[in-house]
Amino acid sequence: MLGVCIELKTTCSHCSSPLMMNAVTNDILCPACNKNNYFSDEDWQNLLDDALKEGPVLKEGEGQPSTIMRGAYTYQLMYGKQLPRCGKCKTNIDLNKLAEYSESGNYLCQKCSSKTFVRKTDVILAAVYSSVKYLVGEDDDMLKVNPAKSKLPASLKPVLFTCPSCAGNLEIDGTDRMVSCKFCDSQIYLPDDLWLRLHPVKEVTRWYLVIDENALPAKGTMPDWYYLSDVVSDRDGNTYFASANDSEGDFIVWSINKELEVRWIKKGLKFSHEKTGLCPANDGELYLFNENRNSILKLSSKSGDELKKIDGNASAGIKSFKGIKRLISCPDGTLLANINNVFVRFNEEGSRLNLWESKKFGLFSAGVGNDIPQNDSEWAPYIKDVGSVPKKLNGDFTFMNIGLDGYIYMLDKSSSDGELAKYEQSGTKVWSKYIPLNYKNCRPSQDERGNIYIIGTNQNGDTRIISYNSTTEKFVEIIKDLSEGSYLEEEDTLTVLPDGTILALKTYNCLKVFSPAHEMIFRSGQSKEEDEDFIKENKEKHEKDED
């Protein structure tokens, strides 16, 4: 777990005096005018949204100021990444004991004996931010329905005030602003300067949100993403995502089941969202790799926990995995990769193995294949230019996948002459077909009926999902563009579950899910918003053209 510190203030909507927001609560009493200021659940969620998204990815001790204008209020917010600590002596609070402290309501500092208020997540935040587990250091008096009335500070006692009606001397204790004269029974409203002396303006204090980085989001929601590095599905109908909200270290890997419920989230992997890929392992686990890293990680498909790190075995032919562009896990437990345009087969110990073992039609083993170059500067052929037992292929243009039938499928994303090819595990090329799409940038995905799915655009820029049926040996358009009365709106990434359920995605939280009958059964909020904007703009353009 980690801590995000908060300092938040605004001004009273009634008297414009400074108003400290030292606790998450709907009603905050202004000490200057004794009137309540109301802050809705939505107000709080919007105020803390940036802090909860950006705070965890800051460096420890790093902060960020912010000015927020919302409704009648202008807020001054400071948030940062910092472990909860005693407000008096700055001693860190043990995060492992927060459950215990929250039961009693307080943490007693062992160094200075000061009390720090601790409670479990407020219902205001729990509904939206399930990762927030505890609130530490709030002003608990702000949370009381009937807070104790302020008393005059001992250093100011006694305060004498002259009754404006009878000139009698009154002792003021600061409990009420409207007082009765004990001599003439007049009702007297204490002036501002005296009242403020008795009730000094509260200072902004620092409090903390304690976050469980790997907590699942609220039911029915998924993690936010802007960058989508990769998405793959396994034989059990689970889908795995590699994504990030920005480029500053918030990369995560996460998984959903076939009911679209989040199974787990893994943070802290220290991967860049750029040039990162996923690969379902033959044993049911998951591989994570990046073109600029020397090694490959094997993650648990059940939790996202790291199981193994695969480093290259220089003595066995692989110095490093830097330059890896594509990776598939074969039925025999070996891994086949494209590294700097060269095909490389290896095991989980990082040792290079024989590339192909084809004996058909006079073909012989290719040995381990070509030497792995330092970079991909050398020319490499495309799918249409290679036959069986290939040793080189352009990795930037070629996507690979293992079908449910055990065959290797390779897709060339070239705009004019890209082909889809089917290979046996032996390296024998079975067939190669021209793909009737202009742009396509996804791996080919196969369902249990043998259909292969590809997403892309036609020459007019309209988005399409097509499928190839090995029985009819034809490509069929199955889902078309929104402009044509269908569902797609520039989605460019695709994965398919064994039963034929299709997930179509793009950047910025856009996801659409289609049933095996190709009916849309789910659409994310962002996808719905963008679809509605597209329809509105298209309608306005149509009306303008008619005029």
Side-chain angles (χ1 to χ4, degrees):
M1 291 195 290
L2 57 84
V4 173
C5 63
I6 301 291
E7 291 181 7
L8 181 62
K9 63 182 179 180
T10 184
T11 54
C12 175
S13 62
H14 305 287
C15 70
S16 299
S17 295
L19 187 69
M20 307 307 154
M21 301 177 71
N22 295 334
V24 179
T25 180
N26 294 128
D27 295 293
I28 297 181
L29 187 70
C30 174
C33 67
N34 254 17
K35 292 182 179 179
N36 264 327
N37 289 260
Y38 178 76
F39 303 95
S40 68
D41 292 8
E42 185 181 0
D43 289 333
W44 276 107
Q45 290 157 11
N46 279 276
L47 283 172
L48 297 178
D49 190 62
D50 284 347
L52 286 165
K53 288 179 179 177
E54 298 175 12
V57 301
L58 295 174
K59 295 178 181 178
E60 188 67 30
E62 184 180 7
Q64 177 70 44
S66 177
T67 299
I68 302 170
M69 289 180 284
R70 180 176 172 82
Y73 297 92
T74 298
Y75 305 88
Q76 301 297 321
L77 169 67
M78 188 288 297
Y79 61 87
K81 187 175 182 180
Q82 186 180 71
L83 292 173
R85 58 187 189 179
C86 171
K88 185 175 182 180
C89 70
K90 313 306 180 187
T91 301
N92 284 346
I93 299 174
D94 187 352
L95 298 185
N96 296 320
K97 294 185 177 180
L98 288 181
E100 175 188 331
Y101 300 147
S102 67
E103 291 297 322
S104 63
N106 285 295
Y107 157 74
L108 182 65
C109 182
Q110 295 182 353
K111 186 175 182 180
C112 69
S113 299
S114 294
K115 286 185 178 181
T116 301
F117 182 60
V118 180
R119 62 171 173 150
K120 291 183 178 179
T121 309
D122 188 274
V123 292
I124 295 172
L125 300 180
V128 177
Y129 301 111
S130 58
S131 62
V132 180
K133 299 303 180 183
Y134 299 96
L135 295 165
V136 179
E138 294 172 289
D139 181 351
D140 59 329
D141 198 50
M142 285 188 171
L143 303 173
K144 297 174 183 175
V145 176
N146 297 304
K149 290 186 176 182
S150 301
K151 294 183 179 180
L152 187 65
S155 60
L156 296 179
K157 290 181 179 180
V159 171
L160 299 179
F161 180 72
T162 301
C163 172
S165 296
C166 69
N169 287 328
L170 306 177
E171 286 191 7
I172 307 301
D173 64 5
T175 56
D176 290 299
R177 190 160 190 180
M178 186 71 74
V179 297
S180 296
C181 176
K182 63 183 179 180
F183 302 108
C184 66
D185 206 31
S186 297
Q187 292 293 308
I188 304 164
Y189 185 76
L190 300 181
D192 288 348
D193 55 349
L194 176 57
W195 185 252
L196 289 175
R197 185 185 176 201
L198 299 176
H199 298 274
V201 174
K202 281 181 175 287
E203 294 183 356
V204 65
T205 58
R206 182 170 296 185
W207 48 277
Y208 300 85
L209 302 162
V210 179
I211 298 172
D212 181 353
E213 295 178 276
N214 296 314
L216 299 184
K219 189 174 179 61
T221 64
M222 297 182 190
D224 290 331
W225 74 83
Y226 184 83
Y227 299 102
L228 186 63
S229 305
D230 202 4
V231 56
V232 294
S233 299
D234 65 18
R235 293 175 179 267
D236 295 324
N238 300 312
T239 301
Y240 306 89
F241 302 76
S243 64
N245 264 319
D246 58 37
S247 59
E248 297 301 323
D250 65 351
F251 174 86
I252 62 173
V253 176
W254 48 288
S255 176
I256 61 174
N257 59 24
K258 54 189 173 184
E259 285 78 33
L260 308 182
E261 298 170 337
V262 178
R263 300 171 63 228
W264 51 260
I265 299 172
K266 191 64 178 177
K267 300 181 180 179
L269 291 167
K270 298 181 180 179
F271 268 67
S272 167
H273 67 84
E274 296 181 306
K275 300 181 179 180
T276 286
L278 296 169
C279 169
N282 181 61
D283 61 5
E285 307 300 356
L286 184 70
Y287 293 112
L288 175 67
F289 60 95
N290 181 280
E291 188 175 336
N292 295 318
R293 291 176 68 102
N294 294 321
S295 57
I296 297 169
L297 289 187
K298 188 175 188 180
L299 307 178
S300 167
S301 61
K302 297 178 179 62
S303 64
D305 292 339
E306 184 177 333
L307 301 177
K308 188 171 188 177
K309 183 179 179 182
I310 305 174
D311 292 303
N313 186 339
S315 63
I318 303 177
K319 187 176 181 180
S320 84
F321 290 103
K322 209 165 188 179
I324 185 170
K325 293 180 170 60
R326 314 295 173 198
L327 178 69
I328 54 175
S329 178
C330 299
D332 63 0
T334 65
L335 292 101
L336 181 65
N338 185 296
I339 303 177
N340 290 328
N341 299 333
V342 169
F343 280 119
V344 180
R345 188 181 296 274
F346 56 97
N347 58 25
E348 283 199 345
E349 282 63 53
S351 297
R352 193 168 184 180
L353 307 174
N354 281 345
L355 182 57
W356 308 108
E357 297 295 343
S358 178
K359 304 291 184 185
K360 294 184 178 181
F361 310 112
L363 298 173
F364 298 95
S365 170
V368 297
N370 294 356
D371 292 337
I372 304 172
Q374 294 285 325
N375 54 56
D376 61 0
S377 59
E378 292 183 15
W379 177 88
Y382 298 84
I383 287 174
K384 66 183 181 64
D385 300 316
V386 298
S388 296
V389 293
K391 296 182 180 180
K392 292 182 65 174
L393 201 63
N394 191 300
D396 287 323
F397 277 74
T398 306
F399 291 86
M400 302 193 301
N401 207 359
I402 294 284
L404 295 176
D405 56 10
Y407 285 90
I408 300 172
Y409 291 91
M410 301 186 194
L411 179 151
D412 178 3
K413 73 175 188 178
S414 300
S415 60
S416 59
D417 55 1
E419 293 187 358
L420 174 69
K422 178 179 180 179
Y423 278 83
E424 293 180 356
Q425 289 293 328
S426 64
T428 301
K429 189 173 187 178
V430 181
W431 50 251
S432 186
K433 308 288 182 181
Y434 166 74
I435 305 170
L437 288 173
N438 190 49
Y439 172 85
K440 54 274 181 190
N441 195 39
C442 67
R443 60 167 59 84
S445 297
Q446 186 184 50
D447 66 18
E448 58 195 8
R449 294 168 294 175
N451 298 311
I452 302 166
Y453 299 83
I454 303 169
I455 193 168
T457 57
N458 62 12
Q459 292 182 345
N460 298 324
D462 297 324
T463 308
R464 292 277 188 278
I465 295 178
I466 63 174
S467 69
Y468 177 81
N469 185 285
S470 56
T471 302
T472 62
E473 296 185 349
K474 291 182 179 179
F475 285 98
V476 179
E477 292 181 347
I478 57 173
I479 306 175
K480 297 184 179 181
D481 197 270
L482 192 64
S483 63
E484 301 168 291
S486 191
Y487 303 110
L488 299 174
E489 209 280 301
E490 297 185 346
E491 289 78 16
D492 56 9
T493 304
L494 168 146
T495 188
V496 179
L497 306 189
D499 67 358
T501 298
I502 302 170
L503 284 72
L505 311 93
K506 63 178 179 179
T507 58
Y508 192 29
N509 300 325
C510 289
L511 166 64
K512 293 173 184 173
V513 182
F514 301 92
S515 71
H518 310 146
E519 299 171 341
M520 187 164 66
I521 57 177
F522 174 83
R523 178 173 56 166
S524 67
Q526 186 63 35
S527 284
K528 181 180 179 182
E529 183 179 327
E530 292 192 14
D531 287 354
E532 290 173 348
D533 288 344
F534 176 84
I535 292 171
K536 181 181 178 182
E537 291 172 7
N538 210 37
K539 182 180 179 182
E540 291 174 351
K541 182 178 181 297
H542 208 53
E543 291 173 349
K544 186 177 180 180
D545 291 342
E546 287 181 349
D547 292 340

